[in-house]
Amino acid sequence: MSQAISRRAVARGALWAAPVVAATATIPAYAASTSIYGISSSSSGGYRLDGSGCMSSLDVTNTQAAPGQASGIAVIYPDGQGETQSVDITNYEVVIYLPANLVDSFDVTSGNFTYAGAFNPDTPTITRNDGTTVSTAGLEAYVFRYNGTLTTQTQLDDGALDGEPGAFFTASATGFGYCESNLPVDSFTTVGATITTADGFTAYRDVTYDTSLRPAVM
């Protein structure tokens, strides 16, 4: 992705936001396991178009969430299944699937994350947390990787979820090559991490959820 366009005066903007994965939605994917732990996360972002309808900025973040939904990442222990306990989170990655050639790269502007590059999806579809699939055709995966280990508490699945503050990040794209005439409407995000609990349980958990582009209130 080497094409870049010059910046012009910003004329319009839009935001995209991801519905947070309901904690209970993570459980069926692991029905074969004796564990009832799951993870929940959310992300959002915004872009602007210049006066000619081409993209002039794109930012992503996981520090925002709708009321009652976790930003960053939260480890879920459904209500009635036991007491909360300490949990370590390692191998934490956020992979945002966007149209190929949308941007060249990303610079992480806050948070203990590294932008690990982009890759072409190696499967034609990816399964969402609700069991349905989404096509990866024409998309590219942008990887953000946490540096180190997070230690937090599991949370009961009984309402508002507080994401682990150390899991927050923001990033800004560089090198734009996209114009409004073929601007996408949909995208999606996969979040994954290894969780290790105080009672000795260790497993990798991941969830995939849709994101959508929508007009901003300017």
Side-chain angles (χ1 to χ4, degrees):
M1 294 183 296
S2 60
Q3 181 184 13
I5 61 174
S6 61
R7 291 174 178 264
R8 302 175 180 85
V10 172
R12 283 164 290 181
L15 296 176
W16 58 266
V20 170
V21 178
T24 53
T26 67
I27 298 172
Y30 308 101
S33 172
T34 57
S35 168
I36 45 74
Y37 294 99
I39 60 174
S40 177
S41 183
S42 67
S43 62
S44 62
Y47 70 88
R48 291 185 183 277
L49 302 177
D50 63 21
S52 64
C54 293
M55 185 170 288
S56 61
S57 70
L58 176 74
D59 299 297
V60 295
T61 181
N62 65 346
T63 62
Q64 301 171 354
Q69 300 173 334
S71 54
I73 189 172
V75 177
I76 310 305
Y77 200 165
D79 194 9
Q81 300 297 319
E83 298 297 326
T84 59
Q85 61 175 297
S86 176
V87 59
D88 290 336
I89 303 172
T90 55
N91 304 309
Y92 175 34
E93 286 188 344
V94 177
V95 182
I96 300 176
Y97 292 80
L98 297 170
N101 303 317
L102 179 67
V103 298
D104 285 345
S105 184
F106 279 91
D107 292 329
V108 175
T109 54
S110 66
N112 188 25
F113 279 74
T114 297
Y115 172 62
F119 66 92
N120 294 321
D122 56 4
T123 58
T125 60
I126 292 181
T127 302
R128 299 183 183 96
N129 64 289
D130 62 3
T132 60
T133 59
V134 58
S135 173
T136 60
L139 299 180
E140 195 163 8
Y142 299 85
V143 182
F144 301 88
R145 184 172 297 148
Y146 183 77
N147 302 309
T149 300
L150 292 163
T151 299
T152 187
Q153 296 290 315
T154 58
Q155 299 186 44
L156 298 180
D157 179 20
D158 60 357
L161 299 173
D162 296 323
E164 166 55 44
F168 296 157
F169 80 95
T170 57
S172 294
T174 61
F176 306 98
Y178 224 66
C179 293
E180 187 178 21
S181 60
N182 56 357
L183 193 67
V185 174
D186 297 310
S187 177
F188 61 95
T189 299
T190 294
V191 174
T194 299
I195 58 174
T196 302
T197 65
D199 62 6
F201 172 81
T202 297
Y204 187 83
R205 295 294 192 236
D206 59 43
V207 288
T208 298
Y209 48 86
D210 290 336
T211 62
S212 61
L213 292 157
R214 61 188 184 187
V217 178
M218 302 301 291

